[in-house]
Amino acid sequence: MYSEILPQHEFEGPVYQSFVLSVYSDYKLLLIGVPTSAAAVVLTAHSTNSTMLYILAVVVFVLGALRYITTALFHKYHALQTFSLADYEHWERVYTIEAVLYCLAFGAWCLIAAVLCNPIAEFTAYVVTFGNLIGICGRCFPISRLVNGQLFAVGLPLIAGLLIHGGEYILLAIMLAPYMVGLQTIASRQRDNLFNNVVNRLKAEKLALQFHNALENVPQGICMFDSNGNLEVANRHIGAFIGRSTKSM
């Protein structure tokens, strides 16, 4: 019924805007995640005495700080002005680029740890990286290219590191592929659920507006009561008839 009255393509813009707003939410969690992740890289750098990992720790911190600043600016500008669809597309591209680069740093961390063959560095890199992968599904699922870009940025270097390590790690690399597909599937299902919820809400709001306009434009006075006799709906003609504004009824 809805699809006949309200074509779904009418809501593509508003739905996309809701998706962008969703990925920019809860950005203050970066205040915890970024320093913690950078500290973990420093730990592995100290354990391996690797200058490359010390540099990578700085990269992780800078990229994380950049993501926080960008997100804070998004909320600032979004509160001050009305965004067009082009504005949302711009901010989504910025978010995607920064997020992919951030994940690429984690993938590089896993690759370097595997090459160095240090158990502490490998364990720390894998645990922290997989924790961030779970966050991708929980926060970035509304936009498919954002999820796919981050999964590739982390997954390819991670798998490469396992293959370079050789031995039983090759089996882990093979097992990692379906795990990545599983994360992508979970994100896709969450995205579909969010899409349906947003579209249904927008359809309900538009139908309510259409009903209100129709009710106000009929020449007769119309009112509706619930089963308990409470007034639920009344148009302006009813208010004029009884000498009261419908806003006060």
Side-chain angles (χ1 to χ4, degrees):
M1 177 180 177
Y2 279 153
S3 60
E4 296 175 359
I5 301 175
L6 303 171
Q8 188 159 291
H9 65 79
E10 292 186 15
F11 301 103
E12 290 179 356
V15 169
Y16 174 72
Q17 294 168 16
S18 297
F19 283 6
V20 175
L21 288 171
S22 177
V23 299
Y24 270 104
S25 63
D26 297 329
Y27 70 100
K28 292 185 178 180
L29 292 175
L30 291 170
L31 292 174
I32 300 175
V34 171
T36 302
S37 298
V41 182
V42 171
L43 174 64
T44 60
H46 177 73
S47 175
T48 59
N49 196 28
S50 170
T51 302
M52 190 175 297
L53 286 179
Y54 278 116
I55 295 174
L56 188 62
V58 175
V59 171
V60 169
F61 184 82
V62 171
L63 287 174
L66 181 61
R67 293 186 68 192
Y68 179 86
I69 293 171
T70 298
T71 308
L73 288 174
F74 169 84
H75 286 283
K76 176 183 176 180
Y77 292 137
H78 189 266
L80 294 176
Q81 65 187 65
T82 301
F83 277 10
S84 64
L85 182 59
D87 292 325
Y88 282 103
E89 291 174 345
H90 165 74
W91 284 99
E92 186 256 308
R93 284 194 298 270
V94 172
Y95 189 96
T96 299
I97 292 172
E98 293 181 355
V100 169
L101 289 175
Y102 189 66
C103 286
L104 187 59
F106 282 91
W109 183 21
C110 294
L111 176 58
I112 295 171
V115 172
L116 294 175
C117 295
N118 182 285
I120 295 178
E122 289 181 83
F123 177 79
T124 306
Y126 296 156
V127 168
V128 176
T129 298
F130 275 92
N132 277 273
L133 284 176
I134 296 173
I136 290 174
C137 291
R139 183 175 62 256
C140 301
F141 69 89
I143 300 177
S144 58
R145 57 177 166 265
L146 176 58
V147 172
N148 294 336
Q150 292 182 96
L151 289 178
F152 275 110
V154 171
L156 292 181
L158 178 55
I159 292 175
L162 293 173
L163 293 176
I164 291 173
H165 207 295
E168 296 178 348
Y169 286 84
I170 296 178
L171 295 177
L172 292 177
I174 296 174
M175 294 170 59
L176 190 61
Y179 175 79
M180 293 294 185
V181 174
L183 288 178
Q184 189 180 45
T185 302
I186 293 172
S188 178
R189 289 177 180 174
Q190 289 180 295
R191 182 165 53 253
D192 290 340
N193 291 334
L194 178 61
F195 177 85
N196 291 331
N197 290 337
V198 172
V199 168
N200 288 335
R201 176 178 59 81
L202 292 172
K203 286 179 177 179
E205 291 175 354
K206 187 166 185 178
L207 285 174
L209 179 61
Q210 290 176 336
F211 175 73
H212 172 77
N213 291 336
L215 192 66
E216 290 297 320
N217 288 307
V218 295
Q220 296 82 17
I222 297 178
C223 61
M224 300 179 186
F225 297 86
D226 62 16
S227 58
N228 296 320
N230 299 315
L231 181 65
E232 288 286 320
V233 177
N235 66 358
R236 56 189 173 86
H237 297 294
I238 284 291
F241 177 75
I242 64 175
R244 293 179 59 187
S245 170
T246 53
K247 293 182 179 180
S248 63
M249 296 173 62

